[in-house]
């Protein structure tokens, strides 16, 4: 088999066989095919697209290019959850203890944040001493003992995707639906769960800005997952404004804890419940949405979801007392109101700009090596459709540096559009695909 022939076949609109896809992924992972040939193939795929069979073959080849996590030592149906990322997305922090308290074993790999969206691991490190650097054996043991563990992504999880994604990033071939779907799903399949619930975001703070693209991506990922024998469900949810009120690591942890006490913001609570319902049904713990909803409400009302979070934090070296006393989480030295410059309705919030404000305060990473400040961020006081009077607080800014506080405040004010006429609000949940 020759890479040249594979490139030409795709360039001419042909369908690559599983053998041809396996060949190029195997050889590329071993550095036996040069970047320039793979770049040419990616560009050919970009223009000629891939069939369902090709997309599945590429996903499986990338999943198998490194470690495939074996979770068979964990009893029960393992249901993973994945978000395509967004601003204020602290969903894992509240959702996983809730479903674990309902009996779904949670064995999850999470990542760190880069750019304007935060990562679950960074947020969890707001608990002093917490670590996701545990061995696979410890990971499995924790899930068997307390029902939940989260570890960092191992370096050898879908290494072919890592190489390919970096190459696509510099050759203008990222934004092809099948390539994105196979990239995300290769990591999910390698992570070993029996079922996968995807939270696909849509809007100005999301990877996919339009609903049409978000549905298309969701459809491809669901198809791949189901074709690979893992029950896969996608929830398409709004990311045209930050999720909940808090943006910033420890601030988001605090909001997730409030949600586990039943005191979370309405939009965030609704998303967590919607995803939780799908996870309980996929994991065979509930027959229908009504039963699943009642189970989730039950573990909030009786405190068992909050207790599960405390057990999980303690099992991974963190201070569980902070779950019950959030004053123990990192705190910023400056907390100040950002005031509305005019009276009217909040017509638009440029969502990714709010993420960038948190980044400017030190709450995110500009580069992989950046140190992050866990305490800083923003707590919104007004969201889209709300009425404000001039001088009312739009947000509370939490900062540890005066100059950064000032710069982020200026940028924050540019992200809010206040108008006389109100907008028509779109629903948080745009659809569910199975
Ligand atoms: N996220 C991924 O993991 N892969 C892509 O191709 C795009 C976004």
């Amino acid at each position: 088999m020759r890479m040249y022939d594979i490139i030409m076949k795709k360039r001419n609109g042909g369908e690559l066989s599983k053998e041809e896809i396996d060949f190029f992924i195997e050889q590329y992972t071993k550095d036996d095919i040069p970047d320039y040939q793979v770049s040419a193939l990616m560009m050919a795929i970009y223009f000629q697209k891939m069939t369902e069979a090709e997309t599945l073959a590429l996903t499986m080849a990338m999943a198998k290019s490194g470690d495939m996590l074996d979770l068979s030592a964990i009893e029960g149906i393992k249901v993973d959850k994945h978000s395509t990322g967004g601003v204020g997305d602290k969903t894992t922090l509240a959702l996983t203890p809730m479903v674990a308290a309902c009996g779904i074993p949670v064995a999850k790999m999470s990542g760190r944040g880069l750019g304007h969206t935060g990562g679950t691991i960074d947020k969890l490190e707001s608990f002093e001493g917490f670590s996701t650097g545990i061995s696979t054996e410890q990971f499995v043991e924790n899930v068997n003992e307390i029902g939940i563990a989260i570890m960092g992504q191992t370096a050898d999880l879908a290494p072919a995707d890592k190489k390919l994604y970096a190459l696509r990033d510099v050759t203008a071939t990222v934004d092809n639906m099948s390539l994105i779907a196979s990239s995300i799903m290769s990591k999910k399949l390698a992570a070993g769960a029996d079922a996968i619930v995807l939270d696909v975001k849509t809007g100005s703070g999301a990877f996919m800005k339009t609903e049409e693209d978000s549905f298309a991506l969701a459809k491809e990922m669901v198809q791949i997952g189901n074709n690979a024998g893992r029950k896969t469900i996608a929830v398409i949810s709004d990311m045209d404004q930050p999720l909940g009120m808090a943006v910033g690591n420890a601030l988001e942890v605090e909001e997730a804890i409030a949600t586990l006490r039943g005191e979370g913001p309405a939009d965030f609570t609704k998303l967590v419940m919607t995803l939780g319902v799908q996870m309980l049904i996929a994991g065979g713990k509930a027959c229908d949405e009504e039963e699943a909803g009642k189970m989730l409400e039950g573990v909030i009302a009786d405190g068992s979801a909050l207790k599960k979070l405390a057990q999980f934090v303690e099992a991974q070296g963190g201070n569980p007392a902070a779950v019950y006393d959030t004053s123990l989480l990192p705190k910023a030295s400056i907390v100040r109101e950002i005031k509305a410059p005019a009276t009217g309705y909040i017509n638009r919030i440029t969502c990714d700009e709010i993420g960038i404000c948190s980044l400017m305060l030190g709450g995110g990473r500009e580069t992989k090596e950046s140190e992050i400040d866990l305490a800083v961020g923003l707590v919104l006081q007004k969201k889209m459709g709300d009425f404000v009077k001039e001088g009312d607080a739009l947000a509370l800014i939490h900062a540890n540096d005066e100059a950064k506080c000032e710069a982020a405040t200026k940028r924050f004010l540019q992200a809010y559009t206040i108008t006389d006429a109100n907008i028509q609000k779109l629903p948080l949940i745009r659809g569910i695909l199975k």
Side-chain angles (χ1 to χ4, degrees), residues 161 165 168 174 179-180 183-184 187 207:
D161 169 66
Y165 192 11
R168 285 165 54 216
V174 167
L179 289 176
I180 299 171
S183 165
I184 295 173
K187 288 168 279 204
F207 188 62

Side-chain angles (χ1 to χ4, degrees), residues 98 102 273 276-278 280-281 286 288-299:
M98 280 166 69
C102 292
M273 292 296 286
V277 160
Q278 296 305 326
L280 292 194
I281 296 173
D288 56 29
E289 294 189 6
E290 196 185 334
E291 189 188 356
K294 282 199 180 126
M295 285 172 77
L296 293 166
E297 281 162 13
V299 294

Side-chain angles (χ1 to χ4, degrees), residues 254-264 300-301 306 323-326:
E254 200 167 338
E255 189 164 88
I257 289 171
T259 305
L260 291 173
R261 284 198 310 259
E263 296 158 9
I300 288 183
L306 196 65
V323 170
Y324 297 101
D325 176 5
T326 56

Side-chain angles (χ1 to χ4, degrees), residues 27 72 205 228 249 284 333 402 407:
Q27 301 298 310
S72 58
N249 298 284
S333 56
E402 272 298 344

